[in-house]
């Protein structure tokens, strides 16, 4: 895609960036390793939420831990495509996509997210890149023993 790629993991019940490969474009999305991503909006949050148990989701919704309205919207798209989109949900003028890496038990191991300027990483490019990202994440998941 030419955009910045982030490897994210759920650590201490937070979505954290554990590695990144920055875009070579002069104008790019750049976030520090160790940065925490929001759990109530954005592509990584949608993947995180999709892999919560029903009990965990119910707890979040009942206790209003976070506003889930934006992330719930993306679940049907994720079930259809295997990846999610985020259009300026976290940062103005920044779009993103994400897909899961699963372990042998089908549990969420990591999230790969790609983010870039909305003027360059538009919906058409996100849809195209999302298919490629899903395929690559699936191959990584297979290497971890996932056979879904």
């Amino acid at each position: 895609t030419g955009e910045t790629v982030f490897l994210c993991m759920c650590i201490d019940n937070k979505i954290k960036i554990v590695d990144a490969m920055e875009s070579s474009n002069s104008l790019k999305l750049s976030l520090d390793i160790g940065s925490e991503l929001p759990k109530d909006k954005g592509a990584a949050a949608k993947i995180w939420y999709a892999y919560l148990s029903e009990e965990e989701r119910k707890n979040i919704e009942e206790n209003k831990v976070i506003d889930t309205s934006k992330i719930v919207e993306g679940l049907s798209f994720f079930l259809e495509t295997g990846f999610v989109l985020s259009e300026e949900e976290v940062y103005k003028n920044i779009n993103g996509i994400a897909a899961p890496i699963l372990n042998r038990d089908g549990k969420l191991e990591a999230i790969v997210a790609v983010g870039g300027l909305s003027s360059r990483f538009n919906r058409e490019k996100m849809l195209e890149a999302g298919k490629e990202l899903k395929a690559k994440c699936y191959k990584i998941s297979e290497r971890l023993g996932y056979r879904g």
Side-chain angles (χ1 to χ4, degrees):
T1 66
E3 303 301 341
T4 301
V5 179
F6 300 99
L7 179 63
C8 307
M9 296 184 79
C10 298
I11 302 169
D12 298 328
N13 204 28
K14 296 175 179 159
I15 304 170
K16 292 201 171 193
I17 297 171
V18 296
D19 202 0
M21 187 170 70
E22 285 196 351
S23 168
S24 59
N25 293 308
S26 55
L27 280 174
K28 62 188 164 213
L29 175 60
S30 179
L31 298 170
D32 294 333
I33 305 298
S35 293
E36 185 179 335
L37 296 176
K39 290 165 72 173
D40 62 342
K41 57 189 167 194
K46 292 174 186 176
I47 296 295
W48 165 77
Y49 190 80
Y51 285 91
L52 291 177
S53 69
E54 284 300 317
E55 185 178 316
E56 290 169 313
R57 286 186 196 171
K58 186 177 178 181
N59 182 48
I60 287 169
E61 290 163 11
E62 284 178 357
N63 296 312
K64 300 193 184 326
V65 176
I66 57 171
D67 177 7
T68 59
S69 59
K70 284 194 187 302
I71 54 178
V72 169
E73 290 173 10
L75 289 182
S76 59
F77 182 84
F78 173 67
L79 293 174
E80 289 174 31
T81 64
F83 65 94
V84 295
L85 305 176
S86 171
E87 295 178 286
E88 299 190 31
E89 290 176 26
V90 179
Y91 302 108
K92 186 170 175 53
N93 300 317
I94 299 291
N95 286 345
I97 59 173
I101 294 176
L102 305 175
N103 65 24
R104 69 172 14 161
D105 299 321
K107 304 280 186 202
L108 184 64
E109 192 69 30
I111 301 164
V112 179
V114 179
L117 297 175
S118 56
S119 59
R120 198 174 47 227
F121 200 41
N122 58 36
R123 188 171 185 85
E124 182 181 332
K125 287 186 180 171
M126 287 194 301
L127 290 171
E128 183 181 310
K131 293 174 190 171
E132 187 179 335
L133 179 63
K134 172 193 168 188
K136 288 183 179 185
C137 286
Y138 188 82
K139 284 184 179 185
I140 295 168
S141 297
E142 286 182 318
R143 289 185 187 140
L144 295 176
Y146 178 68
R147 299 288 177 245

